[in-house]
Amino acid sequence: MQLESVNISAEKVKELTKKYMIETYERFPFVAVRAKDMFLYDENGEAYLDFYGGVAVNSVGSCNDKVVAAIQEQAAEIIHTFNYPHTVPQAVLAELVCETIGMDKIFFQSSGTEANEAMIKMVRKYGVEKFGPEKYHIVAAKKGFHGRTYGALTASGQPGTALHNGFEPLLPGFSYAEFNNLDSFKDACTGNTIGIIIEPCQAEGGVYPATMEFMTGLRKFCDEKGIFLMLDEIQTGWGRTGAIMGYMNYGIKPDVVSIAKAMGGGMPIGAVCATEKLAAAFNPGSHGSTYAGNAVCCAAAYAACKEIIDRKLPENAKDVGTYFAKKLESLPHVKEVRHAGLLVGVEFDIPKAADIKHGCIDRKLLTTAIGTNIIRMVPPLTLTKEHCDKAYEILKESVEEVAK
Ligand SMILES: Cc1ncc(COP(=O)(O)O)c(C=O)c1O
């Protein structure tokens, strides 16, 4: 839908947004009217270099030709059926995902948080049915982020923040341990623990990649104790970290993993993928969702996942991500640069992340700010080193300006 097609000005769009929408977001100051690959265009046709990628979603680039074609073709055939009939897009996507990431079974959902709800429900149901009514506890990481619905929200170890404030009481059965601290996780587990949930790289929490020692240690500990290792790969999955899945960087496999974002090529889809044994906890009537497995979303996801594989985008994320992270270290006022492929965080020694972000927007670069001093970037995986050079110059100017 374009401004002209509904005869409306950009100012009016902003006015209607303010008047009618319940706002929980800080909006960019422009109206996005078009997007292509690495760029977002505003109402005046100005191009913005997109280093936030719809928050790690547009991994194959915005409006990727293959994804657009898949959506158009599928929308002309079947848009929605619910999960009663078999559908072609679901079946081929299920095979592609399971075979690529090495999991036995998949359950489609419509978002990341829903995928995590499914993961939590599956693990808890397995625990209480197999071992008894107390075996439902899950240990999660402090500073983790898993979504906004109650289970996922509770798993997000961020008490006392806007994420949790006002929403207590949360779901019972969760405790929290220090990320990248194996002993802390071991201490937090009890005889009633059935699962441990973490992100291979904490994203919203400030970009903290898991160490090799921590990840392999957790896998070993879970095996010894009969605890399920639950990975949230909603932000890290499908190429972001330099491998198709974040866990592949560590040579381990989870018992269950949630995915979303990148897999959909921009369409709303998520999924939980599990071992055959764990997946058996779900049976007819135990879980479901109206839009999950929607035909258009699955067709788009099939095209996006194939693009990620065929164009070797994880390899590009690794190569370009390493180049970019190295370069960012020479920005002024940098305290630390952390990254896993193209999940990049720059921590500054000045509490001015929001100002830096705004300075970047003025100079036509889009990023996100975390807390007071971290800029996080999750661009499309089609990114080139030239894009990085441009982004670096803009960041440098913005930091220099706010540090004056
Ligand atoms: C690691 C992680 N888990 C879960 C979610 C929630 O996904 P959604 O916003 O699609 O519900 C996010 C979103 O940023 C995420 O980064």
Side-chain angles (χ1 to χ4, degrees), residues 111-113 116 145-147 199 204 232 234-235 261:
S111 67
T113 200
N116 280 336
F145 180 77
H146 301 290
E199 301 154 77
E204 302 297 313
D232 176 342
I234 282 154
Q235 190 145 164
K261 292 192 185 267

mmCIF file with all atom_site columns, all heavy atoms in Angstrom, residues 111-113 116 145-147 199 204 232 234-235 261, ligand 1:
data_model
loop_
_atom_site.group_PDB
_atom_site.id
_atom_site.type_symbol
_atom_site.label_atom_id
_atom_site.label_alt_id
_atom_site.label_comp_id
_atom_site.label_asym_id
_atom_site.label_entity_id
_atom_site.label_seq_id
_atom_site.pdbx_PDB_ins_code
_atom_site.Cartn_x
_atom_site.Cartn_y
_atom_site.Cartn_z
_atom_site.occupancy
_atom_site.B_iso_or_equiv
_atom_site.pdbx_formal_charge
_atom_site.auth_seq_id
_atom_site.auth_comp_id
_atom_site.auth_asym_id
_atom_site.auth_atom_id
_atom_site.pdbx_PDB_model_num
ATOM   1   N N   . SER A 1 111 ? 5.159  -17.034 15.434 1.00 0.00 ? 111 SER A N   1
ATOM   2   C CA  . SER A 1 111 ? 6.118  -16.031 15.910 1.00 0.00 ? 111 SER A CA  1
ATOM   3   C C   . SER A 1 111 ? 7.163  -16.711 16.786 1.00 0.00 ? 111 SER A C   1
ATOM   4   O O   . SER A 1 111 ? 7.044  -17.902 17.118 1.00 0.00 ? 111 SER A O   1
ATOM   5   C CB  . SER A 1 111 ? 5.399  -14.964 16.738 1.00 0.00 ? 111 SER A CB  1
ATOM   6   O OG  . SER A 1 111 ? 4.920  -15.551 17.932 1.00 0.00 ? 111 SER A OG  1
ATOM   7   N N   . GLY A 1 112 ? 8.126  -15.909 17.218 1.00 0.00 ? 112 GLY A N   1
ATOM   8   C CA  . GLY A 1 112 ? 9.171  -16.439 18.077 1.00 0.00 ? 112 GLY A CA  1
ATOM   9   C C   . GLY A 1 112 ? 8.652  -16.806 19.452 1.00 0.00 ? 112 GLY A C   1
ATOM   10  O O   . GLY A 1 112 ? 8.921  -17.893 19.978 1.00 0.00 ? 112 GLY A O   1
ATOM   11  N N   . THR A 1 113 ? 7.901  -15.904 20.043 1.00 0.00 ? 113 THR A N   1
ATOM   12  C CA  . THR A 1 113 ? 7.435  -16.168 21.399 1.00 0.00 ? 113 THR A CA  1
ATOM   13  C C   . THR A 1 113 ? 6.524  -17.400 21.435 1.00 0.00 ? 113 THR A C   1
ATOM   14  O O   . THR A 1 113 ? 6.579  -18.194 22.363 1.00 0.00 ? 113 THR A O   1
ATOM   15  C CB  . THR A 1 113 ? 6.737  -14.910 21.995 1.00 0.00 ? 113 THR A CB  1
ATOM   16  O OG1 . THR A 1 113 ? 6.719  -15.010 23.401 1.00 0.00 ? 113 THR A OG1 1
ATOM   17  C CG2 . THR A 1 113 ? 5.341  -14.698 21.468 1.00 0.00 ? 113 THR A CG2 1
ATOM   18  N N   . ASN A 1 116 ? 8.565  -20.439 21.464 1.00 0.00 ? 116 ASN A N   1
ATOM   19  C CA  . ASN A 1 116 ? 9.098  -20.719 22.807 1.00 0.00 ? 116 ASN A CA  1
ATOM   20  C C   . ASN A 1 116 ? 8.030  -21.264 23.742 1.00 0.00 ? 116 ASN A C   1
ATOM   21  O O   . ASN A 1 116 ? 8.313  -22.119 24.592 1.00 0.00 ? 116 ASN A O   1
ATOM   22  C CB  . ASN A 1 116 ? 9.749  -19.458 23.394 1.00 0.00 ? 116 ASN A CB  1
ATOM   23  C CG  . ASN A 1 116 ? 11.144 -19.263 22.840 1.00 0.00 ? 116 ASN A CG  1
ATOM   24  O OD1 . ASN A 1 116 ? 11.783 -20.222 22.402 1.00 0.00 ? 116 ASN A OD1 1
ATOM   25  N ND2 . ASN A 1 116 ? 11.615 -18.033 22.835 1.00 0.00 ? 116 ASN A ND2 1
ATOM   26  N N   . PHE A 1 145 ? 16.458 -13.284 26.738 1.00 0.00 ? 145 PHE A N   1
ATOM   27  C CA  . PHE A 1 145 ? 15.188 -12.779 26.206 1.00 0.00 ? 145 PHE A CA  1
ATOM   28  C C   . PHE A 1 145 ? 14.558 -13.863 25.345 1.00 0.00 ? 145 PHE A C   1
ATOM   29  O O   . PHE A 1 145 ? 15.168 -14.363 24.413 1.00 0.00 ? 145 PHE A O   1
ATOM   30  C CB  . PHE A 1 145 ? 15.385 -11.504 25.377 1.00 0.00 ? 145 PHE A CB  1
ATOM   31  C CG  . PHE A 1 145 ? 14.077 -10.981 24.838 1.00 0.00 ? 145 PHE A CG  1
ATOM   32  C CD1 . PHE A 1 145 ? 13.195 -10.288 25.655 1.00 0.00 ? 145 PHE A CD1 1
ATOM   33  C CD2 . PHE A 1 145 ? 13.696 -11.224 23.515 1.00 0.00 ? 145 PHE A CD2 1
ATOM   34  C CE1 . PHE A 1 145 ? 11.965 -9.832  25.180 1.00 0.00 ? 145 PHE A CE1 1
ATOM   35  C CE2 . PHE A 1 145 ? 12.469 -10.773 23.022 1.00 0.00 ? 145 PHE A CE2 1
ATOM   36  C CZ  . PHE A 1 145 ? 11.612 -10.073 23.862 1.00 0.00 ? 145 PHE A CZ  1
ATOM   37  N N   . HIS A 1 146 ? 13.299 -14.196 25.674 1.00 0.00 ? 146 HIS A N   1
ATOM   38  C CA  . HIS A 1 146 ? 12.631 -15.264 24.934 1.00 0.00 ? 146 HIS A CA  1
ATOM   39  C C   . HIS A 1 146 ? 11.263 -14.885 24.403 1.00 0.00 ? 146 HIS A C   1
ATOM   40  O O   . HIS A 1 146 ? 10.591 -15.721 23.793 1.00 0.00 ? 146 HIS A O   1
ATOM   41  C CB  . HIS A 1 146 ? 12.534 -16.507 25.823 1.00 0.00 ? 146 HIS A CB  1
ATOM   42  C CG  . HIS A 1 146 ? 13.871 -17.008 26.282 1.00 0.00 ? 146 HIS A CG  1
ATOM   43  N ND1 . HIS A 1 146 ? 14.778 -17.604 25.430 1.00 0.00 ? 146 HIS A ND1 1
ATOM   44  C CD2 . HIS A 1 146 ? 14.494 -16.954 27.490 1.00 0.00 ? 146 HIS A CD2 1
ATOM   45  C CE1 . HIS A 1 146 ? 15.890 -17.916 26.095 1.00 0.00 ? 146 HIS A CE1 1
ATOM   46  N NE2 . HIS A 1 146 ? 15.743 -17.524 27.346 1.00 0.00 ? 146 HIS A NE2 1
ATOM   47  N N   . GLY A 1 147 ? 10.810 -13.644 24.674 1.00 0.00 ? 147 GLY A N   1
ATOM   48  C CA  . GLY A 1 147 ? 9.531  -13.233 24.117 1.00 0.00 ? 147 GLY A CA  1
ATOM   49  C C   . GLY A 1 147 ? 8.621  -12.615 25.155 1.00 0.00 ? 147 GLY A C   1
ATOM   50  O O   . GLY A 1 147 ? 8.991  -12.457 26.324 1.00 0.00 ? 147 GLY A O   1
ATOM   51  N N   . GLU A 1 199 ? 19.957 -18.851 24.964 1.00 0.00 ? 199 GLU A N   1
ATOM   52  C CA  . GLU A 1 199 ? 20.253 -18.443 23.585 1.00 0.00 ? 199 GLU A CA  1
ATOM   53  C C   . GLU A 1 199 ? 21.750 -18.720 23.363 1.00 0.00 ? 199 GLU A C   1
ATOM   54  O O   . GLU A 1 199 ? 22.555 -18.410 24.253 1.00 0.00 ? 199 GLU A O   1
ATOM   55  C CB  . GLU A 1 199 ? 20.032 -16.941 23.399 1.00 0.00 ? 199 GLU A CB  1
ATOM   56  C CG  . GLU A 1 199 ? 18.640 -16.451 23.688 1.00 0.00 ? 199 GLU A CG  1
ATOM   57  C CD  . GLU A 1 199 ? 18.661 -14.965 24.105 1.00 0.00 ? 199 GLU A CD  1
ATOM   58  O OE1 . GLU A 1 199 ? 18.794 -14.109 23.222 1.00 0.00 ? 199 GLU A OE1 1
ATOM   59  O OE2 . GLU A 1 199 ? 18.553 -14.681 25.309 1.00 0.00 ? 199 GLU A OE2 1
ATOM   60  N N   . GLU A 1 204 ? 19.044 -9.702  22.658 1.00 0.00 ? 204 GLU A N   1
ATOM   61  C CA  . GLU A 1 204 ? 18.412 -8.513  23.246 1.00 0.00 ? 204 GLU A CA  1
ATOM   62  C C   . GLU A 1 204 ? 19.104 -8.134  24.559 1.00 0.00 ? 204 GLU A C   1
ATOM   63  O O   . GLU A 1 204 ? 19.057 -6.978  24.986 1.00 0.00 ? 204 GLU A O   1
ATOM   64  C CB  . GLU A 1 204 ? 16.928 -8.767  23.515 1.00 0.00 ? 204 GLU A CB  1
ATOM   65  C CG  . GLU A 1 204 ? 16.120 -9.173  22.282 1.00 0.00 ? 204 GLU A CG  1
ATOM   66  C CD  . GLU A 1 204 ? 16.080 -8.107  21.215 1.00 0.00 ? 204 GLU A CD  1
ATOM   67  O OE1 . GLU A 1 204 ? 15.826 -6.945  21.552 1.00 0.00 ? 204 GLU A OE1 1
ATOM   68  O OE2 . GLU A 1 204 ? 16.331 -8.431  20.039 1.00 0.00 ? 204 GLU A OE2 1
ATOM   69  N N   . ASP A 1 232 ? 17.057 -21.426 22.338 1.00 0.00 ? 232 ASP A N   1
ATOM   70  C CA  . ASP A 1 232 ? 16.260 -20.413 21.651 1.00 0.00 ? 232 ASP A CA  1
ATOM   71  C C   . ASP A 1 232 ? 17.141 -19.838 20.547 1.00 0.00 ? 232 ASP A C   1
ATOM   72  O O   . ASP A 1 232 ? 18.065 -19.073 20.813 1.00 0.00 ? 232 ASP A O   1
ATOM   73  C CB  . ASP A 1 232 ? 15.844 -19.331 22.654 1.00 0.00 ? 232 ASP A CB  1
ATOM   74  C CG  . ASP A 1 232 ? 15.090 -18.182 21.986 1.00 0.00 ? 232 ASP A CG  1
ATOM   75  O OD1 . ASP A 1 232 ? 15.178 -18.051 20.750 1.00 0.00 ? 232 ASP A OD1 1
ATOM   76  O OD2 . ASP A 1 232 ? 14.431 -17.417 22.713 1.00 0.00 ? 232 ASP A OD2 1
ATOM   77  N N   . ILE A 1 234 ? 15.875 -18.163 17.936 1.00 0.00 ? 234 ILE A N   1
ATOM   78  C CA  . ILE A 1 234 ? 14.988 -17.282 17.183 1.00 0.00 ? 234 ILE A CA  1
ATOM   79  C C   . ILE A 1 234 ? 15.766 -16.157 16.508 1.00 0.00 ? 234 ILE A C   1
ATOM   80  O O   . ILE A 1 234 ? 15.491 -15.804 15.367 1.00 0.00 ? 234 ILE A O   1
ATOM   81  C CB  . ILE A 1 234 ? 13.874 -16.783 18.121 1.00 0.00 ? 234 ILE A CB  1
ATOM   82  C CG1 . ILE A 1 234 ? 12.863 -17.916 18.263 1.00 0.00 ? 234 ILE A CG1 1
ATOM   83  C CG2 . ILE A 1 234 ? 13.196 -15.505 17.622 1.00 0.00 ? 234 ILE A CG2 1
ATOM   84  C CD1 . ILE A 1 234 ? 12.076 -17.919 19.521 1.00 0.00 ? 234 ILE A CD1 1
ATOM   85  N N   . GLN A 1 235 ? 16.753 -15.630 17.196 1.00 0.00 ? 235 GLN A N   1
ATOM   86  C CA  . GLN A 1 235 ? 17.564 -14.570 16.594 1.00 0.00 ? 235 GLN A CA  1
ATOM   87  C C   . GLN A 1 235 ? 18.843 -15.116 15.959 1.00 0.00 ? 235 GLN A C   1
ATOM   88  O O   . GLN A 1 235 ? 19.362 -14.560 15.009 1.00 0.00 ? 235 GLN A O   1
ATOM   89  C CB  . GLN A 1 235 ? 17.916 -13.511 17.645 1.00 0.00 ? 235 GLN A CB  1
ATOM   90  C CG  . GLN A 1 235 ? 18.527 -12.287 17.047 1.00 0.00 ? 235 GLN A CG  1
ATOM   91  C CD  . GLN A 1 235 ? 18.166 -10.976 17.720 1.00 0.00 ? 235 GLN A CD  1
ATOM   92  O OE1 . GLN A 1 235 ? 18.833 -10.005 17.493 1.00 0.00 ? 235 GLN A OE1 1
ATOM   93  N NE2 . GLN A 1 235 ? 17.146 -10.905 18.513 1.00 0.00 ? 235 GLN A NE2 1
ATOM   94  N N   . LYS A 1 261 ? 12.013 -15.611 12.993 1.00 0.00 ? 261 LYS A N   1
ATOM   95  C CA  . LYS A 1 261 ? 12.712 -14.503 12.317 1.00 0.00 ? 261 LYS A CA  1
ATOM   96  C C   . LYS A 1 261 ? 13.248 -14.846 10.917 1.00 0.00 ? 261 LYS A C   1
ATOM   97  O O   . LYS A 1 261 ? 12.499 -14.858 9.966  1.00 0.00 ? 261 LYS A O   1
ATOM   98  C CB  . LYS A 1 261 ? 13.817 -13.961 13.215 1.00 0.00 ? 261 LYS A CB  1
ATOM   99  C CG  . LYS A 1 261 ? 13.261 -13.236 14.463 1.00 0.00 ? 261 LYS A CG  1
ATOM   100 C CD  . LYS A 1 261 ? 14.326 -12.466 15.187 1.00 0.00 ? 261 LYS A CD  1
ATOM   101 C CE  . LYS A 1 261 ? 13.841 -11.844 16.485 1.00 0.00 ? 261 LYS A CE  1
ATOM   102 N NZ  . LYS A 1 261 ? 13.367 -10.495 16.389 1.00 0.00 ? 261 LYS A NZ  1
HETATM 103 C C1  . LIG B 2 .   ? 16.101 -14.822 21.228 1.00 0.00 ? 1   LIG B C1  1
HETATM 104 C C2  . LIG B 2 .   ? 14.688 -14.374 21.008 1.00 0.00 ? 1   LIG B C2  1
HETATM 105 N N1  . LIG B 2 .   ? 13.686 -15.163 21.444 1.00 0.00 ? 1   LIG B N1  1
HETATM 106 C C3  . LIG B 2 .   ? 12.406 -14.826 21.269 1.00 0.00 ? 1   LIG B C3  1
HETATM 107 C C4  . LIG B 2 .   ? 12.047 -13.652 20.647 1.00 0.00 ? 1   LIG B C4  1
HETATM 108 C C5  . LIG B 2 .   ? 10.608 -13.295 20.470 1.00 0.00 ? 1   LIG B C5  1
HETATM 109 O O1  . LIG B 2 .   ? 10.248 -13.422 19.134 1.00 0.00 ? 1   LIG B O1  1
HETATM 110 P P1  . LIG B 2 .   ? 8.923  -12.706 18.605 1.00 0.00 ? 1   LIG B P1  1
HETATM 111 O O2  . LIG B 2 .   ? 9.143  -11.243 18.738 1.00 0.00 ? 1   LIG B O2  1
HETATM 112 O O3  . LIG B 2 .   ? 8.791  -13.170 17.184 1.00 0.00 ? 1   LIG B O3  1
HETATM 113 O O4  . LIG B 2 .   ? 7.805  -13.191 19.460 1.00 0.00 ? 1   LIG B O4  1
HETATM 114 C C6  . LIG B 2 .   ? 13.060 -12.787 20.187 1.00 0.00 ? 1   LIG B C6  1
HETATM 115 C C7  . LIG B 2 .   ? 12.731 -11.511 19.557 1.00 0.00 ? 1   LIG B C7  1
HETATM 116 O O5  . LIG B 2 .   ? 13.513 -10.607 19.429 1.00 0.00 ? 1   LIG B O5  1
HETATM 117 C C8  . LIG B 2 .   ? 14.411 -13.171 20.373 1.00 0.00 ? 1   LIG B C8  1
HETATM 118 O O6  . LIG B 2 .   ? 15.425 -12.391 19.957 1.00 0.00 ? 1   LIG B O6  1
#
